[in-house]
Amino acid sequence: MLLKEFDAGAGMLAPEQIQTLRTLAAELNPVQAAWISGYLAAVANQGANLGSAEPAPVAAAQSAAPLTILYGSQTGNSRSVATALADRARAEGVAVTLVSMADYKPRQLKSEQQLLLVVSTHGEGDPPDDAIAFHKFLFSARAPKLPELRYSVLALGDSSYDHFCQTGKEFDLRLAELGANRLAERVDCDVDFEDAAEQWQSEVISKLETPADSAAPTAAVVPISGTSSYSRSQPFSATLLASQKITGRHSIKDTRHIELSLEGSGLSYQPGDALGVWMDNDPALVAELLAATSLSGEEPVTLKESSLPLRQALTEQLELTLLHPALVKGWAELAGHAELDAVVADSDALKAFVPQHQLLDLARRYPAKPSAEQLVSLLRKLTPRLYSIASSQAEVEEEVHLTVALVSDQRDGEERLGTVSGALARRLEAGAEVRVYVEPNNNFRLPADDNTPVIMIGPGTGIAPFRAFMQERDVRGAEGDNWLFFGNPTFTDDFLYQVEWQGYVKSGLLTRIDLAFSRDQQHKIYVQDRLREQGAELYAWLQRGAHLYLCGDAQRMAKDVEAALQAVIAEQGQLSEDAAADYLEQLRAEKRYQKDVY
């Protein structure tokens, strides 16, 4: 239909213009095409009013209620969905404001008419860092009544956690309590969120108040940023340059320094960003699973209305190494095994079971004979893994570096590896292609002022972004003080990037370094212990404006570190526990306390 309409109007253009337009159209992705359409409509609208003595008529898009899209994102998924939604709404002629909850002024809420929220849940039901202030405002006495507001919520989460999509649920219920009207019902998305997010986007777009003439989105024309078209859905095939083990032979960990080439991609990143890595499942693992389930792998299965052989689906499309509660429950129904039934019946036992097993363990310990379609119906889609980038592009140019800990566990005398870490550490050789994309993290950024002091807390692989920070500050000639807290089991085997850190100390770029090697003495010492020991100096740095960064394990380390920080602030500032918590919260609000935890 579009080509017929194009041909019908082609007489209005010169032949060379037609060819130019056809060539350009062939190179555009759908988002770019929508933007070009809006841009040309805006140009046409402006041209029609040139030289007119009468005021230009108000654009059609301005007659519709404007739309605000807010996102709260810990890993970037909510932001990417919100951005795609904004592009779709603009293509319909809607004037869109797209903003992080961290940058939104909550008091504007009473003026909103159409509001869409895309928000993830972090940890055990907590809002992501950039949604904390907005969440706090919404549940405070200052939150206004909102009878004129139409809204909808897309909640992202992980059903492996007890408080699945909790933040989205809380936003949805609270807005309703304040009198707002649902534009569409809330949708709760699991880890493989794409299909559910797509359906929600289509529904809310169909229910938005849009201008009568959506062909002229003049109030919504914005340029597309960035120089690369590569993304989560369209990753770049990077070349693996190196996978070097940087822990010693006696270490209990296998940690790798990974180098990838981005040459020719146009991809750019900043210190603090993450790299998304897509990886097929190990063919050997697929073969073992097929053998355990007595399936040949040639059985046809259907995924998203496409038919393909089971072996291909298991290799390229479906998650095999990470369990989730629904999968264990489904397998228990197939297996009919009393031991597994007992696990499923006990929520605490199920919660402990999930991270300690893989699908192959289920198939071998609790044998079942699923059909190919039954097996596929139990599995989630394969998802990318995110790694904090361990390099500054100002230093390494068209490369990107990662610090990757091999996920490895023993099951019944056999080793079970993580999908991506296992491939990077064991399966892939230099020269192999790895599909990647950059996931920006605007909530983990160096201070704009190079004179600002920086405190970095990064035990284990949490050291990665701070290597990038130091490379960046070195290239920029930043004069602000830098202080690193690092911890790992032993000095001799686990001091990651030791030579580099010693070099920064020698050059004076790294002002201070405090180390916590937990197993080098009879009693274990962790980074939170070093924070308490250096409490007076740490508080003095904060008082003179230092920015504080924390990267690493969210489940234990981050909570222990935050408790130590609060204790230091209370002691050194002679504050109550509540006042110390407020001090830390104020640092967060000022973006002087930023976390990248996983």
Side-chain angles (χ1 to χ4, degrees), residues 257-281:
H257 172 70
I258 306 296
E259 297 183 359
L260 297 161
S261 172
L262 300 179
E263 186 175 358
S265 68
L267 284 170
S268 62
Y269 59 86
Q270 298 183 54
D273 287 344
L275 192 75
V277 181
W278 287 96
M279 191 71 67
D280 288 349
N281 287 305

Side-chain angles (χ1 to χ4, degrees), residues 282-360:
D282 187 346
L285 175 62
V286 173
E288 289 181 271
L289 180 61
L290 289 171
T293 54
S294 300
L295 294 164
S296 71
E298 302 308 313
E299 298 87 351
V301 294
T302 301
L303 292 177
K304 211 173 180 180
E305 301 180 356
S306 296
S307 180
L308 68 165
L310 175 61
R311 185 184 303 274
Q312 182 182 353
L314 294 177
T315 303
E316 301 175 1
Q317 302 288 330
L318 299 170
E319 178 61 68
L320 301 185
T321 62
L322 300 177
L323 294 184
H324 57 94
L327 168 55
V328 179
K329 291 176 181 178
W331 191 270
E333 292 177 2
L334 292 170
H337 195 288
E339 181 180 316
L340 188 58
D341 289 341
V343 170
V344 168
D346 184 335
S347 60
D348 289 336
L350 179 59
K351 187 175 181 180
F353 183 93
V354 165
Q356 296 175 359
H357 297 81
Q358 292 189 8
L359 179 58
L360 184 58

Side-chain angles (χ1 to χ4, degrees), residues 2-3 6 21-42 84 86-93 214-217 220-225 229 234:
L2 288 175
L3 288 176
F6 178 86
L21 190 56
R22 285 186 182 277
T23 301
L24 175 62
E27 298 174 350
L28 298 175
N29 64 38
V31 172
Q32 292 170 325
W35 182 84
I36 289 290
S37 174
Y39 177 81
L40 292 177
D87 289 333
R88 291 181 64 170
R90 286 169 179 147
E92 294 294 324
S214 62
V221 174
V222 293
I224 297 171
S225 61
S229 60
Q234 294 180 308

Side-chain angles (χ1 to χ4, degrees), residues 79-92:
R79 184 185 62 251
S80 64
V81 171
T83 302
L85 175 62
D87 289 333
R88 291 181 64 170
R90 286 169 179 147
E92 294 294 324

